[in-house]
Amino acid sequence: QVQLVESGGGLVQPGGSLRLSCVASGSISNIYAMNWYRQAPGKQRELVAVITSNGITNYAKSVKGRFTISRGNAKNTVYLQMNSLNPEDTAVYYCNVQALLPPKDYWGQGTQVTVSS
C-alpha cells in the first residue's frame, strides 16, 4: 500500500516562509515526477511545482521565484520551500507522485497552508 504523507503546513504571516515535506512509503515503480498541487477555497486544484526523476523543475507562474521544489536524500521524499508568502497562497497543498509502469497517480492527504493578512 502506497502512502504519501505531507507535513509542514500551518499559519504564517504575509511575507513569511514555510517548508512542506512529503514522504512516500510503499513500493512505487518508475516514478516520472513528484509534484505539489494546491487547492484554494472556491478554486480548482492547480499544479504548483514539478520535479522529474532527472531533477528538472517547473513552477506555476504564480509561484515562480518564490517557491522551490526539491527531492530529499532519502528515497521518495520531496519538499516545497515557500518564501514571500501572500494571502493568495492560502490553500490545501497536496503531494502527488506520477508513476509510469503502470501509469498511476498517488496523492497525499493534503496539508493546510494559511497566510494571514
Side-chain angles (χ1 to χ4, degrees):
Q1 180 67 47
V2 173
Q3 288 187 322
L4 276 60
V5 180
E6 303 100 332
S7 62
L11 176 66
V12 66
Q13 294 280 347
S17 298
L18 286 173
R19 182 176 174 87
L20 305 183
S21 301
C22 175
V23 179
S25 62
S27 296
I28 306 177
S29 298
N30 300 291
I31 293 175
Y32 172 72
M34 302 185 75
N35 314 298
W36 287 96
Y37 285 76
R38 69 184 181 187
Q39 187 164 24
K43 294 183 176 292
Q44 295 182 332
R45 187 172 298 186
E46 64 173 338
L47 180 62
V48 174
V50 175
I51 185 164
T52 67
S53 59
N54 61 358
I56 303 299
T57 59
N58 283 289
Y59 300 91
K61 186 67 176 295
S62 59
V63 307
K64 184 180 178 181
R66 300 187 297 120
F67 291 11
T68 302
I69 189 170
S70 62
R71 296 185 67 173
N73 293 328
K75 187 186 301 182
N76 293 336
T77 61
V78 63
Y79 303 96
L80 186 67
Q81 178 68 46
M82 305 185 296
N83 299 325
S84 301
L85 287 162
N86 59 62
E88 289 70 43
D89 296 314
T90 295
V92 178
Y93 284 72
Y94 297 91
C95 181
N96 165 260
V97 173
Q98 295 176 269
L100 291 178
L101 298 174
K104 187 173 178 65
D105 280 88
Y106 301 91
W107 293 89
Q109 82 289 345
T111 185
Q112 177 70 48
V113 172
T114 302
V115 185
S116 66
S117 59

